[in-house]
């Protein structure tokens, strides 16, 4: 039927419509990918936004020697020798009611309120009291103006000697008032340090004990360890000592290089903060070295101006407040970041809200309260922590560690991405070592040597493998392959050698067979003759494996690995992941490689054969180089699949984020880590955003890999297009 103008116009309209549809679909796909990338970036960028602080204001207040901010940040409690306790509503500064009871005024000495609102007070009559501050809040009332401060006083011990200053105390055996709790106190007099352990029973007077110290040591600060068994002492000579309080024996020591003016703790009470008379700030911990505990300086912070007067820790994370007469700062222990810095108008007492979002300074001379707010939502994350070794609490040296959660609220998050990137590369490497040679050589044989009938059977069978869900492969690898490989590891190891020996023995026999038989059943069917060889290899390996383990490995390959190399065999290890992930990658590489090899023009192979080259020489030196761009593309596609694989790694390995190339250990990949951690990540929390950063990293890694692959493929294509 002849074409008419109307038919041509209709065809053009359909062509334009299809071109628009195809172009629009492509643009939508690109837009969707970019939108995902932008969303991931949006959730990751807040990790690196600098902390923000601002001046809230200055309020008139009674002169105070101590200050404490309530959990809500809406009330401040002040302590003074003359006036005792007073409370203010924040940020208005209006007074809040305070009960009149308490130690007799004026107080002779008192400690600063700790984060839980606890303090020791010695009244005018020389009696010792412990208080914990609580608030009486009417039901459903959130207005601090309606709250009533209710300090609970306990003790009233009459002291036979009133110290000049109480340096530190520690509640033990229950950690609260009553309930059999005891309290350890260390104080200072003109003669030295005193300590006592009392139950705060008024009927039993406190018995002070002198802390035996060397006459050349001049204590300036002291603090109890968490369990009260160790007494940390800072000296004028610049030494930090760990003493037995009863005998004065020196358990360990560390150099501070300047007189120590104050000691404190961060959240968890395991990291000891030391402040110097010249503004030095450092953190110490007790670590076990060669079977004994030693003091170790493991974090340092920028120096302050003048003597450090005190510390106060946040109750939410590892940030802490330190101050001098002219400066107040908030630093983070793990990252060593300075989150806040402000100038002060004179000496006084500073306080940090339990949430770490409010800083207060009470001027000792004027009584004025200066307030600052601090917005630092992710202080535990920094670029250095993500990519560099970090010295964590309880570790002898800096390490790359991923551990996002712990068993207690004072846990120190560890967000190093290095073990996850390492695990991703390690899992991909073992998968490709298994999949690449099998897939490419199998594709080469199928495309160049197999008979058409055998090829039509092999290729669809391998392509069907791509339809196996990853969760099924992971399930089989974790529950079937891993125990089987553990039980028959030696047999698996000797299997390739046994098959190689069998092939070398059988190959000469093939040449002795009649030519007619070899032509009829040999060419293009070699893979069928390998089946009985492989079966025989499996049978012989099952016999040779136990003998080899008994003779060469001392009867147990696991013991031999541990003794000879210090390697522990984990049941779910990198070999299991390599086998399982390899089965997922083989169909992709095989299919694309086979198509590339089959697309090589027959004229090239015919010319090579006509020049006298053997079929294997032709395949290796002509077909394989010509198809190399396609094979490289297939390899990169398989590599991308292996990098992004989640379920197989999640189910087939121990999921341990360690840095070890051993094939007998597990690992944790970026994708598996996201799958494991995201259900437990609080919305917009640090873990949540770090996981999005890991997703962005995985996205960029795949993008770079695909870009490099395309550049190499184009170069190979230009190199061989003239053949």
């Amino acid at each position: 039927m002849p074409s008419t103008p109307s038919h041509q116009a209709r065809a053009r309209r359909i062509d334009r419509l299809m071109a628009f549809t195809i172009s629009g679909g492509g643009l939508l796909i690109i837009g969707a990918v970019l939108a995902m990338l932008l969303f991931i970036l949006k959730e990751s960028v807040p990790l690196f936004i600098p902390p923000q602080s601002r001046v809230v204001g200055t309020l008139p207040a009674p002169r105070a020697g101590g200050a404490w901010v309530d959990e809500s940040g809406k009330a401040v409690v002040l302590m003074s020798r003359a006036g005792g306790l007073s409370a203010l509503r924040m940020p208005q500064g209006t007074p809040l009611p305070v009960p009149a009871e308490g130690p007799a005024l004026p107080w002779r000495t008192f400690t600063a309120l700790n984060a839980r609102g606890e303090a020791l007070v010695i009244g005018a009559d020389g009696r010792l009291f412990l208080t914990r501050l609580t608030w009486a809040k009417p039901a459903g009332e959130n207005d601090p103006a309606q709250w009533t401060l209710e300090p609970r006083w306990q003790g009233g011990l009459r002291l036979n000697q009133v110290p000049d200053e109480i340096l530190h105390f520690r509640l033990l055996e229950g950690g609260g008032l009553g309930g059999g709790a005891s309290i350890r106190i260390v104080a200072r007099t003109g003669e030295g340090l005193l300590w006592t352990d009392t139950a705060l029973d008024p009927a039993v007077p406190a018995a002070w004990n002198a802390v035996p110290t060397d006459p050349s040591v001049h204590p300036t600060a002291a603090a109890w360890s968490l369990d009260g068994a160790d007494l940390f002492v800072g000296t004028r000579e610049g030494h930090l000592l760990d003493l037995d309080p009863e005998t004065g024996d020196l358990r360990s020591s560390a150099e501070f290089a300047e007189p120590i003016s104050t000691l404190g703790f961060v959240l968890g009470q395991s990291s000891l903060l030391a402040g110097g008379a010249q503004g030095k700030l450092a953190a110490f911990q007790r670590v076990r070295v060669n079977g004994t505990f030693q003091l170790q300086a493991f974090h340092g912070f920028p120096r302050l101006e003048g003597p450090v007067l005190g510390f106060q820790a946040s109750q939410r994370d590892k940030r802490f407040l330190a101050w001098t007469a002219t400066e107040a700062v908030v630093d983070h222990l793990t990252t060593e970041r300075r989150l806040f810095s402000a100038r002060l108008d004179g000496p006084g007492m500073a306080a940090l809200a339990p949430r770490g979002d409010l800083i207060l300074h009470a001027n000792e001379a004027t009584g004025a309260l200066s307030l600052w707010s601090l917005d630092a939502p992710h202080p535990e994350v920094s670029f250095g922590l993500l990519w560099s070794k970090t010295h964590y609490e309880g570790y002898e040296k800096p390490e790359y560690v991923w551990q996002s959660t712990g068993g207690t609220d004072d846990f120190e998050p560890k967000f190093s991405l290095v073990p996850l990137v390492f695990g991703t590369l390690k899992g991909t490497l073992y998968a490709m070592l298994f999949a690449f040679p099998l897939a490419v050589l199998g594709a080469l044989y199928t495309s160049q040597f197999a008979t058409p009938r055998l090829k039509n059977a092999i290729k669809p069978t391998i392509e069907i493998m791509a339809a196996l869900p990853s969760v099924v492969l992971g399930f089989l690898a974790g529950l079937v392959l891993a125990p089987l490989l553990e039980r028959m590891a030696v047999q698996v190891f000797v299997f390739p050698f046994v098959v190689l020996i069998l092939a070398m023995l059988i190959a000469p026999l093939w040449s002795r067979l009649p030519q007619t038989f070899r032509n009829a059943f040999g060419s293009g069917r070699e893979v069928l003759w390998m089946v009985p060889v492989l079966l025989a290899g499996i049978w012989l390996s099952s016999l040779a494996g136990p003998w080899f383990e008994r003779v060469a490995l001392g009867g147990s390959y696991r013991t031999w690995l541990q003794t000879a190399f210090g390697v522990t065999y984990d049941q779910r290890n990198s070999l299991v992941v390599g086998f399982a992930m390899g089965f997922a990658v083989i169909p992709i590489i095989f299919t694309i490689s086979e198509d590339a090899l089959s697309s090589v023009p027959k004229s090239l192979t015919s010319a090579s054969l006509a020049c006298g080259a053997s079929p294997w020489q032709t395949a290796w030196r002509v077909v394989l180089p010509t198809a190399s761009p396609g094979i490289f593309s297939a390899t990169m596609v398989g590599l991308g699949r292996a990098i992004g694989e989640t379920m197989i790694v999640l189910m087939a390995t121990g999921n341990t984020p360690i840095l070890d190339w051993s094939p007998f250990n597990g690992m944790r990949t970026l994708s598996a880590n996201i799958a494991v951690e995201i259900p437990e990540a609080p919305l917009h929390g640090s873990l949540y955003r770090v996981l999005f950063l890991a997703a962005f990293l995985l996205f960029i890694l795949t993008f770079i890999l695909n870009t490099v692959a395309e550049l190499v493929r184009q170069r190979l294509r230009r190199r061989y297009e003239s053949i």
Side-chain angles (χ1 to χ4, degrees):
M1 181 177 180
S3 175
T4 64
S6 61
H7 289 159
Q8 294 176 356
R10 180 183 178 187
R12 286 194 295 270
R13 287 196 299 271
I14 293 176
D15 289 344
R16 286 196 296 269
L17 176 62
M18 296 306 297
F20 176 79
T21 302
I22 295 172
S23 300
L27 291 175
L28 284 176
I29 293 174
I30 295 174
V33 173
L34 290 177
M36 287 191 296
L37 179 61
L38 291 175
F39 176 74
I40 293 173
L41 274 176
K42 171 181 172 293
E43 297 299 324
S44 305
V45 166
L47 287 172
F48 306 103
I49 295 178
Q52 304 293 323
S53 62
R54 66 180 182 89
V55 178
V56 176
T58 303
L59 302 174
R63 294 184 181 181
W68 178 74
V69 185
D70 180 71
E71 171 76 18
S72 65
K74 297 180 178 180
V76 170
V77 177
L78 303 175
M79 300 178 69
S80 67
R81 293 176 183 266
L85 292 176
S86 59
L88 300 177
R89 177 184 180 183
M90 301 300 293
Q92 295 82 357
T94 55
L96 293 175
V98 179
E101 69 267 14
L105 297 174
W107 295 346
R108 300 179 65 170
T109 186
F110 60 90
T111 66
L113 288 158
N114 63 22
R116 295 192 298 178
E118 300 166 342
L120 286 180
V121 177
I122 298 179
D125 55 0
R127 292 180 179 270
L128 176 70
F129 290 85
L130 171 69
T131 184
R132 174 176 290 174
L133 304 182
T134 59
W135 293 95
K137 305 176 184 179
E141 182 57 65
N142 294 321
D143 184 4
Q146 307 302 321
W147 300 351
T148 301
L149 182 65
E150 291 188 348
R152 293 192 297 159
W153 299 96
Q154 181 180 353
L157 282 75
R158 189 173 296 278
L159 302 176
N160 55 7
Q161 182 179 0
V162 178
D164 299 332
E165 180 184 5
I166 298 176
L167 297 176
H168 193 245
F169 69 93
R170 179 76 70 185
L171 288 175
L172 304 173
E173 301 175 10
L177 301 177
S182 65
I183 184 170
R184 283 202 164 190
I185 307 169
V186 59
R188 181 172 57 191
T189 66
E191 290 75 25
L193 296 181
L194 301 176
W195 74 279
T196 186
D197 190 345
T198 178
L200 290 178
D201 185 355
V204 181
W208 289 106
N209 306 287
V211 179
T213 56
D214 190 278
S216 62
V217 172
H218 299 85
T220 54
W224 293 103
S225 63
L226 181 61
D227 58 4
D230 293 81
L231 181 63
F232 302 114
V233 176
T235 71
R236 188 193 309 166
E237 292 75 24
H239 305 303
L240 182 61
L241 311 177
D242 178 9
L243 300 178
D244 183 334
E246 298 184 7
T247 64
D249 291 342
L250 180 63
R251 292 172 173 167
S252 62
S253 64
E255 293 298 320
F256 193 71
E258 69 181 61
I260 296 176
S261 57
T262 186
L263 297 175
F265 292 93
V266 296
L267 178 66
Q269 306 291 305
S270 60
S271 294
L272 178 67
L273 301 172
Q278 300 171 15
K280 181 178 179 180
L281 286 178
F284 295 80
Q285 65 172 350
R286 295 175 71 241
V287 294
R288 185 182 293 273
V289 179
N290 297 326
T292 60
F293 283 101
Q294 296 182 8
L295 278 174
Q296 177 192 63
F298 74 124
H299 284 296
F301 309 92
R303 185 180 292 271
L304 302 184
E305 299 176 357
V308 182
L309 302 179
F311 297 105
Q312 191 163 31
S314 166
Q315 296 305 291
R316 292 294 184 272
D317 52 36
K318 297 293 183 177
R319 75 182 82 178
F320 63 91
L321 170 69
W323 69 94
T324 68
T326 59
E327 186 180 11
V329 299
V330 175
D331 291 329
H332 193 274
L333 175 75
T334 310
T335 61
E336 301 180 2
R337 293 174 60 192
R338 179 141 293 175
L339 309 176
F340 168 84
S341 179
R343 306 296 301 178
L344 304 179
D345 54 3
M349 188 70 182
L352 180 67
R355 297 177 184 176
D357 57 353
L358 183 67
I359 298 97
L360 176 146
H361 177 255
N363 191 296
E364 187 177 321
T366 64
L369 291 180
S370 300
L371 303 173
W372 297 267
S373 66
L374 174 62
D375 181 17
H378 309 292
E380 61 273 18
V381 179
S382 68
F383 185 85
L385 181 138
L386 293 172
W387 299 109
S388 302
K389 289 184 177 182
T390 303
H391 206 155
Y392 298 103
E393 291 180 325
Y395 286 73
E396 293 184 12
K397 59 182 180 179
E399 301 279 0
Y400 296 114
V401 183
W402 174 275
Q403 187 181 3
S404 60
T405 56
T408 60
D409 293 336
D410 55 19
F411 171 74
E412 185 180 27
K414 304 169 183 66
F415 291 135
S416 176
L417 293 177
V418 174
L420 307 181
V421 175
F422 177 87
T424 302
L425 298 178
K426 180 182 177 182
T428 303
L429 172 65
Y430 282 103
M432 295 303 293
L433 286 177
F434 175 69
F436 176 77
L438 290 180
V440 174
L441 294 178
L444 182 63
Y445 173 80
T446 304
S447 64
Q448 302 300 314
F449 299 99
T451 62
R453 183 176 180 182
L454 188 59
K455 176 180 177 180
N456 292 334
I458 293 176
K459 189 174 181 181
T461 302
I462 295 181
E463 289 176 346
I464 289 175
M465 291 171 55
L468 288 175
S470 297
V471 66
V472 174
L473 290 175
F475 175 81
L476 293 175
L479 297 184
V480 178
L481 181 59
L484 183 64
L485 184 61
E486 180 185 26
R487 189 169 61 252
M488 304 182 66
V490 180
Q491 288 90 322
V492 173
F493 173 77
V494 301
F495 173 74
F497 300 97
V498 172
V499 172
L500 179 61
I501 294 172
L502 283 176
M504 293 176 65
L505 293 176
I506 295 175
L509 300 179
W510 178 260
S511 61
R512 298 178 181 273
L513 295 175
Q515 185 67 36
T516 55
F517 179 84
R518 284 183 288 164
N519 292 338
F521 299 99
S523 179
R525 298 180 178 85
E526 293 85 357
V527 67
L528 298 178
W529 290 102
M530 284 300 298
V531 172
V533 175
L534 293 175
L535 293 176
I538 293 174
W539 177 69
L540 291 175
S541 297
S542 66
L543 299 178
W547 173 84
F548 181 81
E549 183 176 13
R550 183 173 61 256
V551 173
L553 306 181
S556 172
Y557 75 92
R558 303 185 67 165
T559 304
W560 179 79
L561 284 174
Q562 182 66 44
T563 304
F565 302 102
V567 174
T568 301
Y569 183 94
D570 296 330
Q571 185 185 79
R572 299 187 179 188
N573 52 48
S574 302
L575 291 179
V576 177
V577 173
F579 289 148
M581 200 186 300
F583 277 105
V585 173
I586 282 175
I588 299 173
I589 301 178
F590 175 87
T591 300
I592 302 177
S593 297
E594 200 278 334
D595 290 340
L597 291 165
S598 297
S599 299
V600 175
K602 295 297 182 182
S603 58
L604 293 178
T605 58
S606 299
S608 175
L609 294 172
C611 291
S614 67
W616 274 107
Q617 288 174 327
T618 300
W620 188 258
R621 297 184 180 182
V622 177
V623 177
L624 199 60
T626 306
S628 59
I631 295 174
F632 186 80
S633 297
T635 305
M636 292 299 103
V637 172
L639 193 65
R641 166 67 192 277
I643 289 177
E645 180 56 49
T646 301
M647 293 309 299
I648 293 177
V649 182
L650 193 64
M651 302 176 70
T653 184
N655 228 10
T656 50
I658 58 176
L659 293 168
D660 190 348
W661 283 110
S662 170
F664 307 114
N665 290 332
M667 70 277 186
R668 179 180 288 194
T669 64
L670 287 166
S671 56
N673 186 69
I674 294 172
V676 169
E677 301 279 2
I678 199 65
E680 307 296 330
L683 184 65
H684 297 154
S686 296
L687 174 59
Y688 174 87
R689 298 198 185 280
V690 171
L691 293 177
F692 270 92
L693 181 63
F696 175 75
L697 183 64
L698 194 60
F699 188 102
I700 294 300
L701 186 63
T702 305
F703 176 79
I704 293 175
L705 182 67
N706 290 335
T707 302
V708 173
E710 181 61 20
L711 293 175
V712 175
R713 189 186 71 83
Q714 292 293 345
R715 183 177 179 181
L716 291 174
R717 184 177 181 181
R718 288 193 300 269
R719 179 178 179 181
Y720 293 107
E721 66 183 357
S722 60
I723 298 179

